[in-house]
Amino acid sequence: MKIDTVEIHQLSMPLVSQFETSKHVERDRECLLIHVEGDGNEGWGECVAQRVPWYSYESIGTAWHVLEDFLVPAILETELEAPSEFPERVAGIKGHPMAKAGLEMAIWDLAGQIAGEPLAEMLGGERTQVEVGVSIGIQEDVKTLLEVVRNHLNEGYRRVKLKIKPGMDLEYVEAVREAHPDLALQVDANAAYDTNRSKIFEQMDQYELVLIEQPYPEEDLLAHAELQARVSTPVCLDESIDSVTMARQALDLDACRIINIKAGRVGGLTEAVKIHDLCSARNVPVWCGGMLETGVGRASNLALASLPGFTLPGDISATDRYYELDVAKPRFTLNSDGTINVPTNPGLGVDVDQSALEHFIVRTNQFTVR
Ligand code: SMG
Ligand code: MG
């Protein structure tokens, strides 16, 4: 496979409703879509870096720079046998996993188009539908949260994740648990707590949560291990796990008993599958995280979540949870059993709608082999 043209589009898309985490409020989703052409075919990828680097150090600006100056030149000049060769090809460029993952996704899509094979199959996926859940941003008060939860349950979601932050945690969790005693419920702190506040998580143990996601800063595996030793609810790591090496260390330390896998956070689908394989070998459940993806990234998440080790519902909601107008077609809808179908067409299995795309483009750059 030889890639002769790469285009990077920066998009800004309005969200149906704002999404508030412990660190940031998102009103418009901004991301990069990457288009590659080669061997008479095309592929699309989504880079999940956000405008503001609150989740990790990457931003749209850093991703644009690293793609333009390093990653795109590295692949325009070479021949790739398979998408899984991409990580080693760019291993000399340190860090920037989201930038790498966006380009790698486009290469996977291209390879799938060339081979006529859906991405799920290429990755070793087995399911045709995956269980999904909804992630709910921090709400102004408990009453509003209960309404939002109720609405999502009425839409058919069967697993709910609540974003929490210090001061907006226990009371919220308690209220939702009281209203829905059997609901699969979990929380995500996005690293907002320090270890002085660990009591909160001990108190949460009584609410039988599926997991507690990333309570402490990502660098602090030991703090997570200390917490895991004191609570029976599984600790799940998100931000801390940026590679299969970190996953192995976290599991060896018993810093978590569940891992949230996001291809964007770990440098791409190739590394994501390695983490899946490691966890499967150790009987550690994994699930697919989300970054408010457009239909392009959503298609990739569904393919990844079809692998057998993804035994917990992913943060992969239906398109209308976030977007009135999306760049990809068809839209993803929720089945009555709380699942979403894994795309079956070649590659990502979605088409990018040019007119929708043009609607959201902020800037574009094109790179071609001369
Ligand atoms: O895609 O439904 C989604 C969002 C899921 O909560 C979600 N993601 O830390 O897991 C996480 C957050 C990070 C992104 S918030 C903009
Ligand atoms: Mg998270």
Side-chain angles (χ1 to χ4, degrees):
M1 164 175 47
K2 191 168 186 306
I3 293 159
D4 46 50
T5 305
V6 179
E7 261 178 354
I8 310 176
H9 304 288
Q10 181 176 333
L11 308 186
S12 177
M13 298 167 62
L15 291 171
V16 167
S17 55
Q18 70 169 45
F19 192 80
E20 180 167 349
T21 68
S22 58
K23 304 213 168 135
H24 187 70
V25 184
E26 210 76 66
R27 293 191 175 82
D28 298 287
R29 169 98 195 307
E30 296 182 55
C31 67
L32 302 179
L33 276 199
I34 299 159
H35 182 239
V36 299
E37 284 173 25
D39 300 354
N41 281 280
E42 62 170 354
W44 285 95
E46 178 168 341
C47 167
V48 298
Q50 302 173 341
R51 193 176 58 79
V52 177
W54 69 267
Y55 170 85
S56 73
Y57 65 82
E58 285 184 277
S59 69
I60 288 195
T62 66
W64 184 283
H65 155 58
V66 171
L67 280 160
E68 176 170 43
D69 291 337
F70 305 111
L71 300 175
V72 172
I75 54 142
L76 273 180
E77 284 159 18
T78 52
E79 180 87 32
L80 278 172
E81 284 295 321
S84 56
E85 281 182 2
F86 173 80
E88 59 199 67
R89 210 54 79 76
V90 297
I93 299 157
K94 275 185 92 76
H96 303 281
M98 292 177 179
K100 288 174 180 168
L103 184 52
E104 199 210 55
M105 191 193 297
I107 296 170
W108 278 103
D109 188 27
L110 176 66
Q113 303 299 333
I114 293 170
E117 205 183 340
L119 178 62
E121 220 169 86
M122 299 171 87
L123 298 177
E126 293 177 356
R127 296 188 190 91
T128 54
Q129 278 130 25
V130 302
E131 280 186 61
V132 302
V134 65
S135 174
I136 301 180
I138 295 172
Q139 305 295 317
E140 53 183 326
D141 52 39
V142 169
K143 184 169 169 278
T144 314
L145 175 62
L146 287 174
E147 259 170 53
V148 173
V149 170
R150 167 60 52 209
N151 290 342
H152 286 306
L153 295 179
N154 289 341
E155 286 163 352
Y157 290 102
R158 298 200 177 166
R159 180 285 253 162
V160 166
K161 166 165 130 178
L162 306 179
K163 290 291 192 178
I164 56 166
K165 68 176 179 185
M168 298 176 102
D169 39 32
L170 216 51
E171 193 195 346
Y172 284 65
V173 173
E174 185 180 25
V176 175
R177 176 49 86 216
E178 205 173 286
H180 307 284
D182 300 324
L183 176 64
L185 184 65
Q186 59 198 59
V187 294
D188 185 2
N190 285 109
Y193 291 79
D194 62 45
T195 46
N196 305 331
R197 294 181 187 267
S198 67
K199 275 270 172 301
I200 273 287
F201 300 110
E202 289 170 28
Q203 288 166 297
M204 266 186 210
D205 241 359
Q206 63 186 302
Y207 300 117
E208 295 189 38
L209 301 178
V210 178
L211 55 88
I212 297 170
E213 184 176 347
Q214 198 70 47
Y216 301 131
E218 50 269 43
E219 304 80 7
D220 206 345
L221 287 185
L222 292 179
H224 289 96
E226 282 162 22
L227 177 63
Q228 185 64 90
R230 287 203 308 277
V231 296
S232 56
T233 308
V235 172
C236 168
L237 290 175
D238 174 356
E239 285 91 326
S240 291
I241 307 300
D242 60 4
S243 62
V244 69
T245 306
M246 280 304 282
R248 189 175 297 116
Q249 293 186 35
L251 295 178
D252 285 351
L253 285 170
D254 197 21
C256 65
R257 294 188 182 155
I258 295 177
I259 291 181
N260 160 332
I261 302 184
K262 292 175 182 165
R265 195 191 63 227
V266 304
L269 291 161
T270 307
E271 190 75 7
V273 171
K274 286 186 190 168
I275 298 174
H276 161 271
D277 294 349
L278 168 80
C279 291
S280 290
R282 295 187 180 203
N283 286 318
V284 171
V286 301
W287 56 285
C288 183
M291 294 294 289
L292 314 175
E293 284 87 350
T294 75
V296 172
R298 205 167 292 276
S300 171
N301 287 345
L302 286 162
L304 181 63
S306 74
L307 271 71
F310 284 80
T311 52
L312 292 170
D315 275 348
I316 316 173
S317 34
T319 307
D320 64 7
R321 151 95 182 96
Y322 291 116
Y323 302 108
E324 228 163 80
L325 178 64
D326 193 8
V327 290
K329 281 185 173 163
R331 294 171 72 88
F332 292 104
T333 53
L334 193 64
N335 300 321
S336 57
D337 60 353
T339 63
I340 296 184
N341 297 347
V342 178
T344 52
N345 285 336
L348 291 173
V350 291
D351 288 322
V352 168
D353 172 348
Q354 279 301 325
S355 74
L357 180 68
E358 273 154 35
H359 203 75
F360 299 127
I361 287 181
V362 176
R363 59 171 167 162
T364 294
N365 207 350
Q366 191 185 67
F367 310 89
T368 305
V369 182
R370 275 174 276 274

